[in-house]
Amino acid sequence: MSLINTIVVAGGTHGNERTGVSLVQKWMANPECYSALCKSAKVDLVLSNLEAMRLNRRYRDHDLNRAFSQTCLDVKAVPQQYEFRRAKELNEIYGPKGPNTKTDLILDVHNTGSNMGYCLILSARDPFCMRASAVLTQEFKNAWIYYQPEERSASPYFGTVAKADICIEIGPQHHGTLNALIFEESERLVKRYLELAEEWNRGELQKRPPIKVDVYTQWRDLGYPKPQGGGPIQAMIHPEVFGYDYRELREGDNLFRTFDGKDIPFKREPNDPEVLHPIFINEPAYYEKDIAMSLTVKTEEEW
Ligand SMILES: [Zn+2]
């Protein structure tokens, strides 16, 4: 990205992830909180899923953050389900998704129940997103980089309506609740992104020396053990894995525990690398998606 002219800070894309909801509500009521941080760009605030926020639920009819693929947005008829309508609306205001979008950068603030700290999720190798996120891993002791490469047009995430996006995934926090320390740290982090965008527009961020970062790249999702042919889950996250996001996982390590106390070790699939690093371990919202965790591959890079 050459210049960042338009930035959208989003909260409530999932209605019960309240750090982003309250952050955007606070900034809407007190524009002085953010208005001076990146004067070279137009900064907009949005509460993405108003209905889900009202219900204090992730979504009303459908996960809004799974409704922004080009195919979903291109549907001609007015969708029955609220979130598909809302996705089209947000795409009209901040998009249209694709090369002619009005928005250069979306910062979408989420929470997770997993022990992931301040997880900065990049969907593409955008130079600003890489640079700024690398700086934040130095400034915040619990910040991590998760690279989830996405084919932009097919990707269902709100952030992909912009040219570049960072999904800030903060946890552990119970969905539907707030945590004061997490709120304050998250606000500081989002503010830093805006300041770094200003630094980028002045051409200064580009001149900083490269920063060594650990990059956790999406490998594959892993479901809970289930009986063949379907049925309820047969095991829970193993205590040696629960809460240990980003830690190494190798063949034979305990992974799940059954309801009668039997340990189930991790078995690699033929293409799996020797060492994987699970994240989103036990994320409550992913039980319905049958995801027990996402497996990532860790690399050391200079950003
Ligand atoms: Zn979320």
Side-chain angles (χ1 to χ4, degrees):
M1 197 159 20
S2 43
L3 270 186
I4 304 168
N5 294 311
T6 45
I7 303 174
V8 173
V9 178
T13 300
H14 292 130
N16 58 357
E17 297 178 8
R18 300 194 72 107
T19 300
V21 171
S22 295
L23 178 63
V24 169
Q25 285 172 335
K26 174 184 168 180
W27 285 14
M28 281 175 166
N30 306 277
E32 70 281 4
C33 291
Y34 70 95
S35 55
L37 303 175
C38 185
K39 289 205 158 161
S40 56
K42 175 171 173 282
V43 180
D44 268 345
L45 307 175
V46 65
L47 294 166
S48 318
N49 194 333
L50 298 161
E51 268 296 284
M53 282 166 46
R54 185 176 64 78
L55 298 164
N56 199 19
R57 285 205 324 237
R58 182 176 177 87
Y59 58 83
R60 195 184 86 177
D61 302 328
H62 181 89
D63 193 332
L64 177 64
N65 216 27
R66 302 291 184 276
F68 288 93
S69 71
Q70 199 61 58
T71 318
C72 287
L73 297 172
D74 283 348
V75 171
K76 287 278 181 292
V78 178
Q80 292 282 314
Q81 293 178 303
Y82 168 74
E83 277 84 4
F84 287 112
R85 286 202 302 278
R86 182 66 176 149
K88 282 163 93 71
E89 212 170 271
L90 291 169
N91 185 53
E92 253 170 50
I93 304 171
Y94 302 108
K97 179 163 170 154
N100 299 321
T101 177
K102 294 186 266 304
T103 306
D104 290 327
L105 176 68
I106 290 181
L107 301 171
D108 198 8
V109 183
H110 289 251
N111 290 115
T112 170
S114 305
N115 188 19
M116 284 169 63
Y118 295 82
C119 183
L120 315 173
I121 308 180
L122 276 65
S123 61
R125 289 186 169 261
D126 171 77
F128 165 76
C129 295
M130 292 166 77
R131 221 72 239 292
S133 303
V135 169
L136 294 186
T137 61
Q138 293 187 313
E139 295 182 0
F140 290 77
K141 60 179 185 298
N142 199 13
W144 306 76
I145 289 173
Y146 173 32
Y147 174 46
Q148 190 179 24
E150 290 285 335
E151 202 282 289
R152 247 177 147 62
S153 147
S155 171
Y157 303 120
F158 176 38
T160 60
V161 162
K163 286 194 186 119
D165 71 293
I166 297 154
C167 177
I168 306 164
E169 196 58 79
I170 305 158
Q173 178 167 282
H174 291 297
H175 291 317
T177 70
L178 280 161
N179 173 315
L181 294 177
I182 287 180
F183 178 88
E184 287 162 5
E185 190 81 335
S186 304
E187 180 174 34
R188 208 163 67 76
L189 186 131
V190 178
K191 283 182 169 178
R192 286 296 293 136
Y193 268 123
L194 295 180
E195 288 168 348
L196 290 166
E198 178 76 11
E199 208 181 295
W200 177 266
N201 284 345
R202 287 199 306 261
E204 289 165 11
L205 183 58
Q206 297 85 327
K207 291 185 194 142
R208 290 201 193 200
I211 297 167
K212 279 208 173 97
V213 287
D214 290 334
V215 180
Y216 295 82
T217 300
Q218 168 71 11
W219 180 255
R220 66 181 170 96
D221 294 335
L222 191 71
Y224 288 93
K226 281 191 175 171
Q228 274 196 341
I233 60 173
Q234 292 178 311
M236 305 162 274
I237 304 287
H238 195 280
E240 287 166 16
V241 174
F242 191 101
Y244 293 105
D245 296 73
Y246 308 105
R247 203 161 77 165
E248 281 188 13
L249 179 72
R250 293 165 185 269
E251 172 96 14
D253 287 348
N254 284 325
L255 185 59
F256 294 107
R257 184 174 282 173
T258 65
F259 298 107
D260 52 359
K262 290 194 191 74
D263 295 336
I264 300 178
F266 174 58
K267 263 203 203 104
R268 278 164 62 203
E269 288 196 345
N271 292 329
D272 283 348
E274 229 161 87
V275 185
L276 287 156
H277 297 259
I279 61 172
F280 281 114
I281 298 169
N282 203 46
E283 161 56 35
Y286 291 170
Y287 274 74
E288 70 173 25
K289 300 182 198 296
D290 192 30
I291 296 173
M293 63 193 71
S294 294
L295 301 177
T296 70
V297 176
K298 177 182 171 183
T299 50
E300 278 175 34
E301 300 185 16
E302 284 200 341
W303 281 15

